[in-house]
Amino acid sequence: MIDKRATLIETATRLFHERGFWDTPTALIAREAGVANGTLFNYFPSKAALVEAVYLSLKQSWATHLQAAAPASGSVHDRLAGYWHGAIDWARAHPDRYALLGQLKLSDEIGDGARAHGIDMFGATLELIGEAMARGELHPIEPALLKALAEAQIGAAIEFLVNHPDAMAADTAHTSFEIFWRGIAVAPTGD
Protein backbone atom coordinates (compact mmCIF):
# COMPACT_ATOMS: atom_id res chain seq x y z
CA MET A 1 0.00 0.00 0.00
CA ILE A 2 1.29 3.45 -0.92
CA ASP A 3 1.70 5.93 1.93
CA LYS A 4 0.10 8.99 0.35
CA ARG A 5 1.35 11.36 3.05
CA ALA A 6 4.95 10.24 2.52
CA THR A 7 4.51 10.43 -1.26
CA LEU A 8 3.19 13.98 -0.99
CA ILE A 9 6.13 14.99 1.24
CA GLU A 10 8.66 13.43 -1.15
CA THR A 11 7.03 15.03 -4.18
CA ALA A 12 6.86 18.41 -2.47
CA THR A 13 10.52 18.10 -1.43
CA ARG A 14 11.58 17.50 -5.04
CA LEU A 15 9.39 20.27 -6.45
CA PHE A 16 10.31 22.78 -3.74
CA HIS A 17 13.96 22.19 -4.56
CA GLU A 18 13.37 22.50 -8.32
CA ARG A 19 10.95 25.44 -8.30
CA GLY A 20 11.10 26.98 -4.84
CA PHE A 21 8.31 26.52 -2.34
CA TRP A 22 6.68 29.86 -3.19
CA ASP A 23 6.45 28.93 -6.88
CA THR A 24 5.12 25.41 -6.40
CA PRO A 25 1.33 25.25 -6.39
CA THR A 26 -0.35 22.53 -4.36
CA ALA A 27 -2.20 21.39 -7.50
CA LEU A 28 1.15 20.56 -9.13
CA ILE A 29 2.32 18.67 -6.05
CA ALA A 30 -0.90 16.64 -5.99
CA ARG A 31 -0.74 15.91 -9.72
CA GLU A 32 2.94 14.86 -9.56
CA ALA A 33 2.17 12.66 -6.53
CA GLY A 34 -0.69 11.02 -8.42
CA VAL A 35 -3.46 12.17 -6.09
CA ALA A 36 -6.35 14.60 -6.35
CA ASN A 37 -5.73 18.13 -5.09
CA GLY A 38 -8.39 17.60 -2.42
CA THR A 39 -6.52 14.53 -1.20
CA LEU A 40 -3.46 16.68 -0.46
CA PHE A 41 -5.61 18.80 1.85
CA ASN A 42 -6.86 15.68 3.65
CA TYR A 43 -3.26 15.21 4.83
CA PHE A 44 -2.16 18.85 5.10
CA PRO A 45 -4.77 21.51 5.94
CA SER A 46 -2.71 24.20 4.20
CA LYS A 47 0.35 24.68 2.06
CA ALA A 48 2.11 26.04 5.14
CA ALA A 49 1.43 22.72 6.92
CA LEU A 50 2.95 20.86 3.95
CA VAL A 51 6.01 23.14 4.01
CA GLU A 52 6.46 22.39 7.71
CA ALA A 53 6.08 18.66 7.05
CA VAL A 54 8.82 18.84 4.41
CA TYR A 55 11.05 20.77 6.83
CA LEU A 56 10.51 18.20 9.60
CA SER A 57 11.06 15.31 7.19
CA LEU A 58 14.42 16.78 6.15
CA LYS A 59 15.42 17.45 9.76
CA GLN A 60 14.47 13.88 10.72
CA SER A 61 16.50 12.43 7.86
CA TRP A 62 19.53 14.47 8.91
CA ALA A 63 19.11 13.66 12.61
CA THR A 64 18.75 9.95 11.90
CA HIS A 65 21.94 10.01 9.83
CA LEU A 66 23.85 11.82 12.59
CA GLN A 67 22.72 9.35 15.23
CA ALA A 68 23.83 6.43 13.06
CA ALA A 69 27.21 8.05 12.33
CA ALA A 70 28.22 8.70 15.93
CA PRO A 71 29.51 6.05 18.32
CA ALA A 72 27.04 5.25 21.09
CA SER A 73 29.77 5.52 23.72
CA GLY A 74 33.26 6.88 24.07
CA SER A 75 34.73 10.29 24.66
CA VAL A 76 32.73 13.44 24.10
CA HIS A 77 35.28 14.39 21.45
CA ASP A 78 34.80 11.16 19.49
CA ARG A 79 31.02 11.18 19.76
CA LEU A 80 30.71 14.82 18.69
CA ALA A 81 33.18 14.17 15.86
CA GLY A 82 30.89 11.34 14.71
CA TYR A 83 27.91 13.70 14.65
CA TRP A 84 30.00 16.27 12.78
CA HIS A 85 31.14 13.79 10.13
CA GLY A 86 27.59 12.49 9.83
CA ALA A 87 26.25 16.00 9.20
CA ILE A 88 28.76 16.59 6.43
CA ASP A 89 28.20 13.14 4.91
CA TRP A 90 24.42 13.64 4.83
CA ALA A 91 24.73 17.04 3.15
CA ARG A 92 27.15 15.67 0.56
CA ALA A 93 24.90 12.67 -0.13
CA HIS A 94 21.79 14.87 -0.40
CA PRO A 95 22.89 18.28 -1.71
CA ASP A 96 19.41 19.15 -2.96
CA ARG A 97 17.83 18.34 0.41
CA TYR A 98 20.58 20.22 2.28
CA ALA A 99 20.02 23.30 0.09
CA LEU A 100 16.26 23.12 0.57
CA LEU A 101 16.63 22.70 4.32
CA GLY A 102 18.78 25.84 4.38
CA GLN A 103 16.05 27.77 2.56
CA LEU A 104 13.28 26.45 4.76
CA LYS A 105 15.18 27.33 7.95
CA LEU A 106 15.00 30.97 6.84
CA SER A 107 11.34 30.83 5.90
CA ASP A 108 8.53 32.47 7.80
CA GLU A 109 6.44 29.42 6.80
CA ILE A 110 8.13 27.39 9.53
CA GLY A 111 6.38 28.07 12.83
CA ASP A 112 7.93 28.07 16.27
CA GLY A 113 6.42 24.67 17.08
CA ALA A 114 7.99 23.03 14.02
CA ARG A 115 11.32 24.72 14.72
CA ALA A 116 11.27 23.46 18.32
CA HIS A 117 10.35 19.95 17.16
CA GLY A 118 13.21 20.08 14.63
CA ILE A 119 15.65 20.94 17.42
CA ASP A 120 14.24 18.17 19.64
CA MET A 121 15.20 15.63 16.96
CA PHE A 122 18.83 16.33 17.85
CA GLY A 123 18.16 15.68 21.53
CA ALA A 124 20.90 13.07 21.96
CA THR A 125 23.51 15.50 20.66
CA LEU A 126 22.23 18.32 22.85
CA GLU A 127 22.07 16.01 25.88
CA LEU A 128 25.69 14.92 25.33
CA ILE A 129 26.80 18.55 25.11
CA GLY A 130 24.84 19.50 28.24
CA GLU A 131 26.36 16.63 30.21
CA ALA A 132 29.87 17.52 29.01
CA MET A 133 29.34 21.14 30.07
CA ALA A 134 28.11 20.02 33.49
CA ARG A 135 31.25 17.90 33.94
CA GLY A 136 33.43 20.86 32.92
CA GLU A 137 34.70 19.23 29.70
CA LEU A 138 33.20 21.96 27.51
CA HIS A 139 33.00 25.69 28.05
CA PRO A 140 29.59 26.77 29.35
CA ILE A 141 28.29 28.26 26.09
CA GLU A 142 24.70 29.31 25.57
CA PRO A 143 23.14 26.35 23.67
CA ALA A 144 21.63 28.55 20.95
CA LEU A 145 25.04 30.15 20.31
CA LEU A 146 26.79 26.78 20.27
CA LYS A 147 24.20 25.45 17.79
CA ALA A 148 24.65 28.50 15.56
CA LEU A 149 28.44 28.18 15.64
CA ALA A 150 28.33 24.47 14.83
CA GLU A 151 25.86 24.97 11.96
CA ALA A 152 27.97 27.80 10.52
CA GLN A 153 31.20 25.81 10.66
CA ILE A 154 29.60 22.65 9.28
CA GLY A 155 28.08 24.79 6.53
CA ALA A 156 31.50 26.27 5.74
CA ALA A 157 33.02 22.78 5.45
CA ILE A 158 30.18 21.66 3.17
CA GLU A 159 30.52 24.77 1.00
CA PHE A 160 34.26 24.19 0.76
CA LEU A 161 33.70 20.61 -0.38
CA VAL A 162 31.12 21.71 -2.95
CA ASN A 163 33.53 24.31 -4.35
CA HIS A 164 36.57 22.02 -4.14
CA PRO A 165 35.37 18.62 -5.37
CA ASP A 166 38.91 17.23 -5.37
CA ALA A 167 39.31 17.89 -1.63
CA MET A 168 39.29 14.89 0.65
CA ALA A 169 35.94 14.94 2.46
CA ALA A 170 37.15 13.00 5.50
CA ASP A 171 40.15 15.30 5.93
CA THR A 172 37.98 18.38 5.59
CA ALA A 173 35.46 17.04 8.11
CA HIS A 174 38.26 16.13 10.52
CA THR A 175 40.03 19.48 10.24
CA SER A 176 36.84 21.53 10.55
CA PHE A 177 35.75 19.55 13.61
CA GLU A 178 39.14 19.89 15.32
CA ILE A 179 39.02 23.68 14.85
CA PHE A 180 35.52 23.74 16.34
CA TRP A 181 36.54 21.40 19.18
CA ARG A 182 39.45 23.64 20.20
CA GLY A 183 36.97 26.47 20.61
CA ILE A 184 34.51 24.62 22.85
CA ALA A 185 36.65 22.18 24.83
CA VAL A 186 38.14 23.08 28.18
CA ALA A 187 41.84 22.24 27.89
CA PRO A 188 43.02 19.70 30.46
CA THR A 189 45.34 21.06 33.12
CA GLY A 190 48.88 21.33 31.79
CA ASP A 191 47.91 21.96 28.15
Side-chain angles (χ1 to χ4, degrees):
M1 177 182 220
I2 297 173
D3 181 351
K4 289 181 185 175
R5 185 176 193 283
T7 300
L8 287 163
I9 291 171
E10 275 303 308
T11 302
T13 299
R14 179 178 52 81
L15 291 172
F16 290 167
H17 174 70
E18 292 171 2
R19 302 171 51 103
F21 52 91
W22 292 113
D23 294 329
T24 305
T26 56
L28 176 62
I29 296 167
R31 184 172 61 246
E32 292 274 326
V35 302
N37 198 35
T39 301
L40 183 146
F41 291 106
N42 288 334
Y43 292 93
F44 307 100
S46 65
K47 185 175 179 183
L50 176 58
V51 170
E52 283 190 348
V54 167
Y55 170 77
L56 291 173
S57 173
L58 294 171
K59 292 286 274 192
Q60 184 62 63
S61 174
W62 201 3
T64 299
H65 190 86
L66 265 67
Q67 296 303 319
S73 62
S75 71
V76 173
H77 173 276
D78 292 349
R79 292 175 68 196
L80 288 179
Y83 291 135
W84 192 276
H85 285 254
I88 292 171
D89 289 344
W90 183 86
R92 291 184 65 241
H94 307 285
D96 54 338
R97 291 171 182 264
Y98 176 74
L100 179 58
L101 182 58
Q103 293 170 14
L104 290 173
K105 284 177 13 182
L106 300 175
S107 170
D108 292 337
E109 293 293 317
I110 308 303
D112 292 342
R115 288 185 194 283
H117 184 60
I119 291 169
D120 289 345
M121 291 177 189
F122 295 84
T125 308
L126 300 173
E127 187 176 313
L128 174 63
I129 290 169
E131 290 169 0
M133 283 182 187
R135 288 190 305 266
E137 295 175 57
L138 300 178
H139 291 290
I141 302 168
E142 170 64 37
L145 174 59
L146 186 62
K147 177 182 172 292
L149 291 170
E151 287 178 353
Q153 288 186 296
I154 289 169
I158 292 165
E159 183 178 341
F160 174 81
L161 289 168
V162 166
N163 292 323
H164 299 87
D166 294 335
M168 297 297 293
D171 291 345
T172 300
H174 175 78
T175 300
S176 63
F177 176 74
E178 291 304 322
I179 291 168
F180 178 73
W181 176 255
R182 281 185 231 126
I184 66 168
V186 174
T189 305
D191 281 357

